[in-house]
Amino acid sequence: MADIKLATFNLYHFAAPGIFWHERKPTATYSELHWQEKKNWLSATIAAMDADVIGFQEVVSHEELGALMAENGYEHFFCTGHPIFDEDDPSVYVNATVAIASRFPLVSAHPLSGVAGVPDDTVIDADFNFSRTPVDAVIDLPGIGETRILVCHFKSQGAFVDDEDIDVLADWGDKIRTTYMQRAMADVNQVAKRAAEAGAIYRIFRQTLDADPDAPVILLGDLNESPGSHTISILTQADRVWSWGSVAANAVPEAFAYLKHVYKLYDSFNLVPMQGLVRPNTHGGIIAGSVLDYCVVSNGLNPKNPRRRGTVTKVEVFDDHFELGPPKARSSDHAPVVTTIAVADGPI
């Protein structure tokens, strides 16, 4: 039986000509020629990836993306909704959406709203929600079965200070002090939001795993954090547990020891032996870049799980465009990440 391939792909402002990203200026929109070049590059990259399911971020013109994916053999497409535009200028978008495209029918697909009870357990405000509403889909993957797939784009990095707040201050001491203070508070805000999003997605995984511990669940996303960050650890529960209450970590009764793995999630890159000594960057460039894009899976796809429904066997980063491709506006500032899952022909 053929392997299954899933990908996450941040498109970098997939917005048709006439739509500006973040501010109205000539360099923040596409000409008809550059828009066609971007779509051509996207089609070529998708063909090279050969993924069965793709989760997209930075989707603005979702109808155009759906049509393009249909042309490329992905008949099943869902986007969480419309982007948010500037109230004072409806041609300027201020927040994009996410989407999913699949070669296989979508059993279900809907926007994931709310944060799954996180505010009740944390200091996060009760009205908190995802920065971009995730996709929550179920796809019947051949050989694996019904698989819950989430597509996310966590809160962006960067603490933004309003220029107007600083410009009205005549004294340079006030300008500098105010800039630092506003930036510090903005940093707190964006870090807390990503942490809350990670905790919310972990709880979403648990909804499925509590009912079926070996269920295949997959997150495809631009998580805007590095692999060693505390945010990613919140999501994967990768930090070491030193005790279970007053019981030492290694003293769990043998019959229950497997549960230590069931309720963790796994960065698929770390599940593949000999992936390489250096993890490829997925954002910014091959040298001066970072890792922000992930495929995170449940224990049901862990190669070490004897009850697994499939096996993660490969993770690829399609980053040629960082050095050889067109400028990022006509390609992307992210590299798509493709995870291959081997399907067993019979019981494992």
Side-chain angles (χ1 to χ4, degrees):
M1 186 173 294
D3 293 341
I4 302 294
K5 297 171 72 175
L6 303 101
T8 183
F9 197 167
N10 184 313
L11 298 176
Y12 187 80
H13 304 309
F14 191 83
I19 299 174
F20 296 81
W21 47 87
H22 306 314
E23 58 182 320
R24 180 182 284 273
K25 59 181 183 179
T27 56
T29 190
Y30 294 106
S31 67
E32 291 291 345
L33 176 60
H34 288 169
W35 179 240
Q36 189 59 54
E37 288 180 1
K38 185 179 182 75
K39 292 194 292 184
N40 291 344
W41 176 84
L42 178 56
S43 292
T45 302
I46 287 170
M49 291 159 55
D50 192 29
D52 298 294
V53 179
I54 307 174
F56 293 107
Q57 299 84 33
E58 289 202 27
V59 179
V60 180
S61 299
H62 55 91
E63 292 179 350
E64 287 87 343
L65 181 59
L68 183 66
M69 295 309 297
E71 293 173 5
N72 284 276
Y74 297 80
E75 298 181 10
H76 311 282
F77 180 85
F78 176 79
C79 185
T80 54
H82 296 283
I84 299 174
F85 289 87
D86 190 325
E87 293 181 357
D88 298 323
D89 189 343
S91 294
V92 177
Y93 94 84
V94 295
N95 204 1
T97 61
V98 302
I100 191 168
S102 174
R103 290 170 172 166
F104 310 119
L106 305 175
V107 175
S108 65
H110 61 270
L112 180 62
S113 60
V115 288
V118 168
D120 296 336
D121 300 337
T122 70
V123 298
I124 301 299
D125 291 339
D127 62 352
F128 172 83
N129 212 325
F130 291 101
S131 301
R132 294 98 170 174
T133 302
V135 167
D136 185 1
V138 175
I139 301 176
D140 191 356
L141 298 178
I144 295 176
E146 290 195 358
T147 302
R148 192 173 188 180
I149 300 176
L150 306 169
V151 182
C152 288
H153 188 181
F154 282 4
K155 179 73 176 70
S156 299
Q157 292 188 18
F160 299 101
V161 177
D162 192 331
D163 290 345
E164 293 181 359
D165 291 347
I166 308 304
D167 290 341
V168 298
L169 302 174
D171 180 77
W172 269 102
D174 289 341
K175 286 179 183 288
I176 293 170
R177 285 192 297 270
T178 303
T179 296
Y180 280 142
M181 181 57 73
Q182 285 200 6
R183 191 175 68 173
M185 295 304 101
D187 269 331
V188 170
N189 187 48
Q190 53 103 350
V191 170
K193 284 185 175 180
R194 283 197 300 278
E197 289 173 324
I201 293 298
Y202 176 75
R203 291 175 71 113
I204 294 297
F205 267 80
R206 284 290 300 271
Q207 288 177 358
T208 300
L209 299 179
D210 286 344
D212 179 359
D214 296 312
V217 190
I218 299 170
L219 166 64
L220 304 171
D222 172 0
L223 305 185
N224 270 312
E225 288 278 14
S226 63
S229 68
H230 189 58
T231 297
I232 300 301
S233 180
I234 290 171
L235 175 65
T236 60
Q237 287 299 296
D239 286 350
R240 182 172 181 175
V241 175
W242 295 97
S243 67
W244 311 96
S246 60
V247 178
N250 60 357
V252 177
E254 185 175 351
F256 299 97
Y258 75 99
L259 293 175
K260 294 189 294 183
H261 309 290
V262 165
Y263 295 116
K264 293 178 65 173
L265 307 180
Y266 300 87
D267 177 350
S268 61
F269 188 88
N270 296 330
L271 293 179
V272 182
M274 305 304 291
Q275 270 284 168
L277 297 178
V278 179
R279 184 168 185 164
N281 292 328
T282 70
H283 173 257
I286 290 177
I287 304 300
S290 57
V291 175
L292 301 179
D293 305 86
Y294 301 81
C295 173
V296 176
V297 302
S298 65
N299 196 48
L301 300 171
N302 184 347
K304 295 182 179 180
N305 179 7
R307 300 168 303 279
R308 62 191 181 275
R309 310 281 170 81
T311 304
V312 172
T313 59
K314 183 189 296 185
V315 177
E316 300 169 274
V317 177
F318 284 72
D319 59 3
D320 285 353
H321 63 289
F322 283 163
E323 289 190 321
L324 306 175
K328 67 180 181 181
R330 280 171 267 164
S331 54
S332 178
D333 60 342
H334 286 253
V337 178
V338 180
T339 296
T340 299
I341 300 175
V343 177
D345 294 324
I348 295 175

